[in-house]
Amino acid sequence: MRALVTGGAGFIGSHLVERLLAEGYSVTVLDDLSGGRLENLDGVRDHPGLRVIVGDVRDRAVLQAALEKVEIVFHLAAVVGVPRVLADPLRAIRVNVEGTERVLEACAERGISVCMASSSEVYGKGVRWPAGEADDLQLGPPTVARWAYAASKLLDEHLAMAWARRGLRVSVVRYFNVYGPRADPHGYGYVIARLMDQALRGEPLTVYGDGRQTRSFIYVEDAVEGTLRAGWLPVAFGQIFNIGHPEEISILALAERIRLISGSRAPIRFLPFSEVYGPDFEEVPRRVPDVSKARVLLGFEARVTLDDGLQRTWEWWRTCRRV
Ligand code: UDP
C-alpha cells in the first residue's frame, strides 16, 4: 500500500509518515516547506519506501504526480497556528480552502480514500465544554483575523461532508492542541514549543493574558494513532472526530510544569494579548474535547498523560532541538 501525506514534512505529518513506514506502507510526502522542514524527516530519510515531493498541494500537476499509485491520503497540508494565520490571513484561507478542494476532487476522481486534518479551532469560543462533534460552533466576526483559520477549516469540513455524500470515502479529524518533539515554535504546537525554547535558553516563560485560559493537550503519538484509525476504519467515512486528550490545564499551570520539568530558574512573564497579537484579537478562554465518539466508533483513546508527554518532549528538546 502507498499512502500520500500532504504536509508530511510538518510536525504532525512527519510523525505520521514515520508510523506509516513502520506499518509497512510506502509513503509519498507532498510539502511546500512553508511550515514543514525536511529535517523533520531525517529519521526516515534513507527509507526505501519514502518519496518526497516539494511542491504546492494546489498545483494540479504536482498533485497528480504525488497521487501516483496511492491508495490512501492523509491531508495535513495547511497554514496552521494562530501566529501564521495572523501574519497572512489571505494566504491561510487560500491554501487551506483551495488545497483541500483540489485534494478531495482528485481523490474522488481516482477512488482514493482520504483522512483530512481539521482543528478544534472550529469550535471557536465554544458553546459548551467538553465540546462534541455535533455541537454548534461559535466563531467571532470576520473583522478579527484569528477566525479566518477556523472559517477556512470549517469550509474544508463542509467540502469533505459534501464529497462524502457523493461517495468519497473521507473522514475528518479535529486536533486539539497536539504537542511533542519537532513541534514548531512559530506555528502549530505553539505554546509548548515556545515555552520549551524559552526554558532551554534560560529566558522568561511568556504567559499571555492572566494564564487562566485552559487547553487540553494531546501527545503527537496519540494524535497519529487517532488519525490512522479515522483513515483506516470504514465506520469513519463521512464522519468527524475530535482527536484530543480530556485532561484540561490552565496555561499558567502548564508554564509552571514546564519550568519544573526543565529546571528553568527564569521567571514567568505575563504579557497582555494586545501586546502580542495586536488590538483586534479574541482569545479562546477554554477548550476541552468530548472524546466519546472516537472512543466508541474508532476504539481510540489518548494514552499518554500530559506529565509523561511533557517529559518526553523536553527530553527531545534538550537533546535534539537546535535553538
Ligand atoms: N500562549 C501563551 N504563551 C505563549 C504562547 C501561547 O500563554 O508564549 C497561550 C495562548 O494565548 C493560548 C494558549 O497558550 O491561550 C495556546 O496557544 P496556541 O497558540 O498554542 O494554541 P491555540 O490558541 O490555537 O489553542
Side-chain angles (χ1 to χ4, degrees), residues 31-309:
D31 200 302
D32 70 354
L33 303 183
S34 60
R37 293 150 26 112
L38 285 178
E39 297 93 273
N40 285 343
L41 294 167
D42 272 356
V44 288
R45 199 177 29 196
D46 299 325
H47 196 292
L50 180 69
R51 181 175 174 226
V52 178
I53 300 176
V54 177
D56 191 321
V57 74
R58 293 171 294 173
D59 183 326
R60 284 200 170 89
V62 167
L63 188 58
Q64 185 174 341
L67 282 169
E68 213 173 297
K69 299 200 176 78
V70 163
E71 280 153 80
I72 184 167
V73 172
F74 294 91
H75 175 45
L76 275 63
V79 175
V80 292
V82 174
R84 280 227 169 84
V85 173
L86 292 183
D88 193 348
L90 185 60
R91 181 168 177 273
I93 295 165
R94 284 183 166 159
V95 170
N96 296 357
V97 177
E98 289 169 21
T100 296
E101 207 174 359
R102 301 268 150 87
V103 168
L104 294 179
E105 191 176 17
C107 290
E109 280 167 5
R110 293 165 177 79
I112 300 171
S113 57
V114 197
C115 177
M116 187 198 93
S118 183
S119 166
S120 54
E121 183 81 9
V122 299
Y123 289 106
K125 290 173 265 189
V127 174
R128 62 159 194 156
W129 303 107
E133 295 85 344
D135 284 357
D136 288 341
L137 312 170
Q138 193 186 174
L139 306 187
T143 43
V144 176
R146 178 199 182 119
W147 304 116
Y149 179 53
S152 71
K153 278 292 165 190
L154 193 55
L155 192 51
D156 284 351
E157 292 193 7
H158 275 292
L159 284 168
M161 295 303 107
W163 275 112
R165 281 182 204 106
R166 293 214 179 173
L168 178 67
R169 286 168 294 155
V170 58
S171 60
V172 172
V173 287
R174 286 181 179 163
Y175 293 131
F176 278 71
N177 294 76
V178 186
Y179 72 102
R182 307 200 289 262
D184 174 5
H186 308 290
Y188 200 90
Y190 179 61
V191 65
I192 289 177
R194 259 182 72 89
L195 295 176
M196 288 201 175
D197 257 9
Q198 290 164 344
L200 200 59
R201 291 176 208 258
E203 291 171 1
L205 273 60
T206 54
V207 168
Y208 302 162
D210 61 10
R212 281 175 19 190
Q213 69 273 31
T214 70
R215 293 292 186 272
S216 309
F217 295 92
I218 180 168
Y219 192 62
V220 64
E221 204 177 280
D222 279 331
V224 163
E225 177 67 30
T227 306
L228 287 175
R229 288 180 186 226
W232 280 335
L233 299 175
V235 72
F237 299 144
Q239 300 287 336
I240 297 171
F241 295 95
N242 286 343
I243 297 297
H245 196 298
E247 188 180 342
E248 184 179 10
I249 186 170
S250 75
I251 298 302
L252 179 55
L254 174 76
E256 279 162 355
R257 257 195 229 187
I258 290 176
R259 224 171 143 252
L260 208 67
I261 286 170
S262 64
S264 163
R265 291 179 181 187
I268 286 174
R269 193 163 134 226
F270 292 90
L271 293 175
F273 289 111
S274 57
E275 201 173 294
V276 185
Y277 296 124
D280 292 325
F281 180 78
E282 283 185 305
E283 166 66 354
V284 171
R286 191 176 177 207
R287 185 185 287 157
V288 197
D290 179 334
V291 296
S292 51
K293 184 173 175 184
R295 187 173 55 229
V296 172
L297 289 187
L298 306 178
F300 168 71
E301 231 168 337
R303 301 254 169 246
V304 182
T305 61
L306 184 60
D307 263 335
D308 190 17

